[in-house]
Amino acid sequence: MAAPRGTSKQTGISWRSLTPAPMILLQGSEELLASRAFETVRTALRAGSEFEMIRFEANSYERGELLLASSPSLFSETKLIEVRGLATMNEDFLNDTLAYAKSPAPDTTLVMHHGGGVRGKKLLDALKASGAIQVDCQPLKKDTEKIDFVSQEFRAAKRKLSAEGARALVAALGSDLAELASACSQLMQDTTGAIDQDMVDKYYGGRVEATGFKVADAALAGRADIALSTLRHALATGTDPVPIVATLAMKLRQVAKVAGVRKSSGQLASELGMAPWQVQQAQEQARHWKVDDLAMCIQLVAEADAQVKGASRDPEYAVERAVTQISLAARR
């Protein structure tokens, strides 16, 4: 089964489509996804008959524990064995699990999490060869992956989240997946009906991560008053100007890539390595721009980038000047 969108390295299926199996291998360092996978299996087993759960840490495992845990129960209960820390497994766990993989116990689900690294490669290869279900728990690095994660959170709860709301939520909290998931849950608990960007901004609009995108979007649309007021508030409350300049540069490059190109957002997304919504937004912003003005502003932001990284004694003035010039250029 192919992994759905939202996975980072296609190392297996998504935890969302996971069902109990004799052996399940969770691969990747994203603890939230691993925790979701463990809980998905537990929930599925609870829906059936009663089961016994046993947990091990692979680095403190003692020889024979897996054989004992998977032995038939007096009451013929289904068993769930959860093992964490395969990346630091000891030799006893390695040897016992290599033997177990050749003949998994009936009525037993063994779920193991390997957070990454080369330790235990022999076991990982053996588990894959034995038909263990592989689940992708790699970190979500791209904004498109995080936006898809957020959208699926709301979809699973049968709640509606607008595309702009999903983008705003990722912009505000996308640096930590656990925090992002918690924010989704909080929004769903605290609100009713559809959730849009205004609702997200009401709850999380003050977050530092969102500032650069708000400043850049307002500047590229020629809304100098909003761009500058947002920027000055951010700087006054201690926001570093470096990521704001980086976001300005990224947004300008995206507009430059689509300016004057007569192709659909889908075609351009594939060619440029951008998400369709990013292309659509850049196309809308490109309507405010002339090619010469774009080139001038890209150079201006490159100079501002050097200034906020030490070439100027007043980095805040440098970024404010860049935002002002971009806003004015967009309005010409």
Side-chain angles (χ1 to χ4, degrees):
M1 182 185 296
R5 290 180 60 207
T7 57
S8 182
K9 290 187 178 180
Q10 301 303 317
T11 55
I13 67 171
S14 166
W15 63 270
R16 295 182 189 275
S17 57
L18 181 59
T19 56
M23 294 187 296
I24 299 171
L25 175 62
L26 316 179
Q27 288 188 274
S29 60
E30 180 51 70
E31 289 293 335
L32 175 74
L33 299 183
S35 295
R36 291 284 185 88
F38 278 119
E39 183 57 35
T40 297
V41 175
R42 289 184 215 124
T43 301
L45 289 174
R46 287 190 194 106
S49 58
E50 293 186 0
F51 66 93
E52 178 184 359
M53 184 165 65
I54 305 101
R55 290 173 172 163
F56 296 130
E57 289 291 336
N59 61 356
S60 58
Y61 174 88
E62 295 184 5
R63 182 178 300 176
E65 285 186 314
L66 180 56
L67 177 62
L68 180 63
S70 59
S71 296
S73 157
L74 179 63
F75 301 102
S76 300
E77 286 182 324
T78 297
K79 292 193 174 185
L80 171 61
I81 303 174
E82 297 183 352
V83 186
R84 290 172 171 78
L86 266 66
T88 57
M89 71 179 76
N90 60 30
E91 289 298 314
D92 286 340
F93 180 82
L94 172 62
N95 294 329
D96 280 4
T97 311
L98 281 171
Y100 181 89
K102 296 176 182 177
S103 182
D107 299 319
T108 298
T109 295
L110 174 61
V111 188
M112 298 160 284
H113 179 213
H114 191 286
V118 297
R119 176 65 176 162
K121 184 178 184 302
K122 182 178 180 180
L123 176 59
L124 299 187
D125 291 342
L127 290 170
K128 294 171 188 176
S130 298
I133 301 299
Q134 299 173 61
V135 181
D136 191 347
C137 298
Q138 300 291 345
L140 306 186
K141 296 181 179 179
K142 298 178 181 178
D143 281 350
T144 51
E145 296 170 339
K146 296 171 185 175
I147 289 170
D148 191 63
F149 172 83
V150 165
S151 299
Q152 290 188 53
E153 290 285 282
F154 280 81
R155 197 175 301 125
K158 303 187 185 310
R159 292 289 301 276
K160 185 174 180 181
L161 173 70
S162 71
E164 294 79 11
R167 285 169 42 205
L169 198 53
V170 169
L173 298 154
S175 59
D176 186 316
L177 194 64
E179 192 172 13
L180 190 59
S182 177
C184 291
S185 177
Q186 192 67 50
L187 276 170
M188 287 186 276
Q189 289 178 31
D190 290 355
T191 64
T192 57
I195 296 174
D196 57 14
Q197 182 175 351
D198 289 341
M199 183 65 70
V200 173
D201 286 345
K202 177 181 176 182
Y203 278 77
Y204 301 108
R207 295 299 296 258
V208 171
E209 291 90 338
T211 300
F213 290 93
K214 289 184 176 180
V215 171
D217 286 341
L220 266 71
R223 291 159 24 201
D225 54 341
I226 296 175
L228 287 171
S229 63
T230 304
L231 173 65
R232 288 166 182 164
H233 174 73
L235 296 176
T237 54
T239 301
D240 190 333
V242 172
I244 297 177
V245 174
T247 303
L248 282 168
M250 179 192 72
K251 289 282 190 175
L252 281 168
R253 288 194 298 268
Q254 288 178 345
V255 172
K257 287 178 181 178
V258 305
V261 181
R262 303 297 181 186
K263 291 184 179 180
S264 69
S265 59
Q267 288 176 302
L268 284 174
S270 177
E271 292 176 9
L272 301 175
M274 296 165 59
W277 66 263
Q278 289 177 315
V279 173
Q280 290 169 3
Q281 185 181 51
Q283 287 173 325
E284 291 172 4
Q285 291 170 332
R287 299 190 186 110
H288 298 276
W289 288 87
K290 299 176 183 177
V291 174
D292 290 345
D293 289 334
L294 271 173
M296 179 269 291
C297 286
I298 288 173
Q299 179 60 39
L300 180 69
V301 170
E303 294 170 2
D305 184 65
Q307 292 170 338
V308 298
K309 291 178 179 177
S312 170
R313 293 182 180 178
D314 193 348
E316 293 186 0
Y317 171 75
V319 67
E320 185 167 319
R321 176 174 176 270
V323 168
T324 300
Q325 292 299 317
I326 291 169
S327 300
L328 292 174
R331 295 173 61 183
R332 283 203 284 261

